[in-house]
Structures are given as structure tokens and as C-alpha cells.
Amino acid sequence: MKKRTLRGTFIAGAAAAALLLTSCGFGGGTTDGGESGAPGSVTTLDMLVPSYSTGTKALWEGVIKDFEAANSDVKINLEIQSWENLESVLKTKVQGNKAPDIYNGGAFAEFAAEGLLAPATDIASEATVADFQPSFADNEKLEGTQYGLPLIASARALFYNKTLMEEAGISAVPKTWDELHDAAMAVSEKTKADGYGMPLGSEEAQGESMIWFAGNGGNFGDTASIAVDTPANVEATEYMQKMIKDGATQKNPGATQRTPMLNTFVQGKLGFAYGLPQTVGQIEKENPDLEYGIAPVATKSGAPATLGVADRLMSFKNDGSKTAAVKKFMDYFFAADVYTDWVSTEGFLPTTKSGSEKLAGDETLKPFLDMLPNAVFYPTTNPAWNATDGAFKSLMGQIDTGKSAAEVLKEIQAKADAAS
């Protein structure tokens, strides 16, 4: 891969979001100079967001400063919390009838079901809503209505070690499961490195599994039902098991966590692994001389598919008097120039079509951007998702013990059904 500096963005994006930044505090959601919308009035919006990196606070402050300069009738009170504190802070505010006008978070179905959130069409223009990638917009819907505006995206891509491939006599980057299997076997047999990194430990067994399921047209279900033990998923799991049994993976995948597995790739001791956009920054920081490349996820047929993850911006209705001001901010923020600067600086991918087009020339991002329209998501709007997620993390590693793929997925399905 061509070496270059990515503005330090991916390194910043990979930073742990555990830093609690000093909040500016809410101003009570009042308006100055008269009623909201009246001539000369100023509408104050309360905005609650999490910290993605040490630069998150400065990024939002810069956006807000520029927005307020262009919109003198709107002021924004910014509050930043760590991910660990975010949901508890939000819960307290909602219970106290002081819900933020703009909120950046994860799960939203509960709030939408209770009628607390404004539909996306109320808080953004038709052009802004239409600009989101369909796969991301669909993931923001509950019973057909979109509530969230997708903020950041992350997708998985195949990272490959060029040096190990050459040493193993592999000339083409794998596009299918069979090609990945054969290439990983060659690396394992002809070099001192492991072929493919398969992390099925408690850190992210669900993520690794979803990548393989999506590669066979499978998923984890949807808002209505969790569907784990499907024929497509069983077939994908059986192929994962084949990779393990044949020695195409590292030893003990069932006990392998994603972070140390990716560290092994960064150190040049692993042929293939599924990584994140932030993995690029880690390589540039820790091993800039690594000869590597990034390619689409290998699937059964070679058709595009990947795991997608997204967070969103949403708006609590409150008394409904601030909708116009919220819409002004959302339209301003999601304009390509403003939005791509924010999202790339945090080390993520854009969720909008215009954002993807603007960053299309970035050779490092291109494999990730190309896969976004085909991203498959976790069914986070399903009440049983948390239990399903936990079951994957604790049980999926059993395919490393010889237990049949069908039996393992049946156990996970039972956990999901019990939580439904």
C-alpha cells in the first residue's frame, strides 16, 4: 500500500472513547429575545454527544462556531460525555423532561416506540434525507419510519500482507471463501506466519460471524425476529470450521480476541485479517514499513458484502418548538464539505452518497467506501439483540472444539428466543 499520512485521523479515531471531556453544560433549552421563530429571537438547542477521540470536543466546537456564525438565530449548548456515562446521563435528562434537542448515540428504538423522537423528515430536508446510503437509512427505521440520521460508518475489509503472499507464491488477492482458504493455507504452510486471523473470543465473535454470514447472504435477523440458525448461517459456520480444522487460521480461534489478532497482523505475522478503517492508522503508527493491501471481504461467490456499523444523530421532540432550528443544523452539518471533514478527522466513513463521492479519491478509504452500499447490520432495534450478542460472544468459539456448527447456532438461537 502506498504510504502516506492520513492527517492523523485514523489514529485519533482508534483512540478509546473513555475520556470524559469537560462539558459545556445545558442552558435549559430556553430562547432569548422572544418566542422561538419570532423576529429577532434566538433558539437554543441542547446537544448531547459522546467522545469518540481526544479531538471530538474541538471538532464539534468548530462546527458549532461556524454554524452559529452563519445562523445568528440559533445557539447550541454542547455537552460531551464518555460512552460509559452517555446513556445514564441521557436517561436522567429524559426522566427530568430535559431531553436534548440533538443527540448522538446508539440504540434508538425504545425512544422512538415511546413517541419521543422526531421523524427524520421533520429534522432534515428532503435532500439531506435522500443523500444517505439506503443501507444505512434503512437501519434507522422503526416500523417503516426513519428516526436517526446516520452519523458515522465503519465497515470491515480484508487486509492482506503482500510480503507473506509473495513468499507463499500467491499472486491474486482472494475474492471467494475457497480462494481465501487456499491462500491462507499456503501462508501457513510456506511461511513462519499464520494464514488467516479468526477472532472468536468474547471481544467480537459476533462481528467475525456476521462477516461470514453476510458473505453467504445471511444475517442475524431483523427488528421482528432474531434468525441465527438459518441454512445460510449454518453453511457459513461450517466453512469457518473448515478453515480452523484445515489449519488455515491461527491456533485456538475460540480464545482469540480481535485486538491482539489485529496487532499480530500489524506486526507482519499474519497473512490475512478483517480490519477497520482505524487499522490503517495503527499500521502507520506502529509499523509504517509493512507492505500490505486492503480488499473487499471474501464471500462464498465473490459478490460484495460486509459488516456495517453505524451511530446516528437524532432529535427528541420535546415541545416541538425547535424543529426548524434542528433542521437548519442538520442540513448544515451533513453538507459534504462540513460532514466529510468531521467524519474523516474522527477516522470513520461517511454515510452519505455525497460524502462518499467527495472522499472517493482517497485510495486508503476506497475499499471501505465501495462496500458501504452492501453493508449488513446487527438487528439493534430488536429487543432480543443484547442477549443474542452476548450468546455469540460466549458460545460461538465452540466451533473450535469440534462441536457441530448447527448445534452451536441452535444454542445461540435458544438464548435469543428466551429473550424475545
Side-chain angles (χ1 to χ4, degrees):
M1 167 154 284
K2 182 180 179 181
K3 305 298 189 301
R4 63 187 186 83
T5 299
L6 296 176
R7 305 162 59 200
T9 59
F10 292 103
I11 297 172
L19 179 64
L20 177 59
L21 302 181
T22 302
S23 68
C24 297
F26 282 169
T30 60
T31 59
D32 301 318
E35 296 182 2
S36 177
S41 67
V42 176
T43 301
T44 300
L45 301 177
D46 296 335
M47 183 174 179
L48 175 62
V49 302
S51 171
Y52 288 101
S53 72
T54 55
T56 298
K57 183 174 184 287
L59 267 177
W60 277 125
E61 288 178 341
V63 169
I64 291 170
K65 180 180 179 181
D66 291 343
F67 170 75
E68 291 179 343
N71 297 271
S72 59
D73 59 338
V74 182
K75 298 296 180 185
I76 297 178
N77 282 340
L78 175 68
E79 179 174 353
I80 298 183
Q81 294 286 349
S82 69
W83 277 104
E84 287 79 3
N85 294 336
L86 184 68
E87 291 188 1
S88 62
V89 169
L90 176 65
K91 182 178 180 181
T92 299
K93 292 182 182 297
V94 171
Q95 292 176 340
N97 294 319
K98 294 182 179 180
D101 302 298
I102 299 173
Y103 174 62
N104 167 200
F108 68 93
E110 179 182 358
F111 300 123
E114 293 177 359
L116 299 178
L117 297 180
T121 51
D122 287 353
I123 59 172
S125 67
E126 182 179 344
T128 296
V129 174
D131 193 30
F132 292 110
Q133 297 278 6
S135 58
F136 285 91
D138 289 344
N139 196 49
E140 304 299 327
K141 294 179 179 178
L142 181 66
E143 297 181 352
T145 299
Q146 181 178 340
Y147 291 95
L149 303 181
L151 174 62
I152 57 98
S154 184
R156 304 302 164 84
L158 182 66
F159 282 65
Y160 56 93
N161 184 307
K162 293 181 178 181
T163 303
L164 292 174
M165 285 180 62
E166 183 177 358
E167 188 177 340
I170 304 163
S171 59
V173 179
K175 296 180 180 180
T176 67
W177 287 351
D178 286 343
E179 291 172 356
L180 179 60
H181 171 275
D182 293 348
M185 288 295 296
V187 170
S188 294
E189 294 171 351
K190 299 178 182 180
T191 77
K192 296 181 179 180
D194 290 321
Y196 172 76
M198 184 179 290
L200 295 176
S202 59
E203 182 181 0
E204 210 191 35
Q206 85 288 355
E208 179 71 12
S209 301
M210 182 66 124
I211 294 171
W212 286 86
F213 291 1
N216 198 33
N219 54 44
F220 288 166
D222 53 30
T223 299
S225 64
I226 296 294
V228 173
D229 58 347
T230 65
N233 292 351
V234 171
E235 183 180 19
T237 306
E238 288 174 344
Y239 205 96
M240 294 168 69
Q241 208 162 36
K242 172 181 170 60
M243 294 280 288
I244 297 171
K245 290 179 178 179
D246 290 353
T249 70
Q250 81 283 10
K251 294 181 180 179
N252 303 318
T256 300
Q257 310 294 11
R258 185 191 73 186
T259 298
M261 182 273 294
L262 286 176
N263 289 341
T264 300
F265 179 87
V266 172
Q267 293 161 11
K269 300 177 181 179
L270 184 62
F272 304 91
Y274 288 122
L276 306 151
Q278 290 91 336
T279 306
V280 175
Q282 183 182 356
I283 293 171
E284 290 187 348
K285 180 181 179 181
E286 299 176 10
N287 190 8
D289 293 329
L290 181 70
E291 292 294 331
Y292 75 102
I294 307 174
V297 166
T299 62
K300 180 183 179 182
S301 67
T306 190
L307 165 65
V309 180
D311 287 333
R312 70 273 310 153
L313 288 177
M314 60 196 91
S315 178
F316 284 84
K317 289 194 237 182
N318 295 314
D319 63 4
S321 66
K322 301 182 183 181
T323 301
V326 172
K327 181 178 287 190
K328 277 187 178 183
F329 178 78
M330 297 298 193
D331 287 345
Y332 173 85
F333 174 71
F334 282 107
D337 287 344
V338 176
Y339 176 57
T340 54
D341 180 71
W342 190 97
V343 75
S344 62
T345 301
E346 282 286 23
F348 293 108
L349 303 174
T351 60
T352 61
K353 301 170 191 173
S354 62
S356 293
E357 291 171 0
K358 187 172 179 62
L359 296 178
D362 189 321
E363 64 182 51
T364 303
L365 291 180
K366 191 175 187 306
F368 297 100
L369 294 172
D370 288 347
M371 287 187 291
L372 285 184
N374 300 291
V376 178
F377 298 88
Y378 300 130
T380 54
T381 55
N382 190 300
W385 166 243
N386 286 342
T388 307
D389 179 54
F392 265 99
K393 291 175 178 177
S394 63
L395 300 174
M396 192 63 179
Q398 293 179 109
I399 67 170
D400 184 21
T401 67
K403 200 167 188 177
S404 75
E407 189 174 357
V408 172
L409 295 192
K410 184 177 181 180
E411 287 186 15
I412 296 174
Q413 183 70 57
K415 296 287 187 180
D417 292 342
S420 299

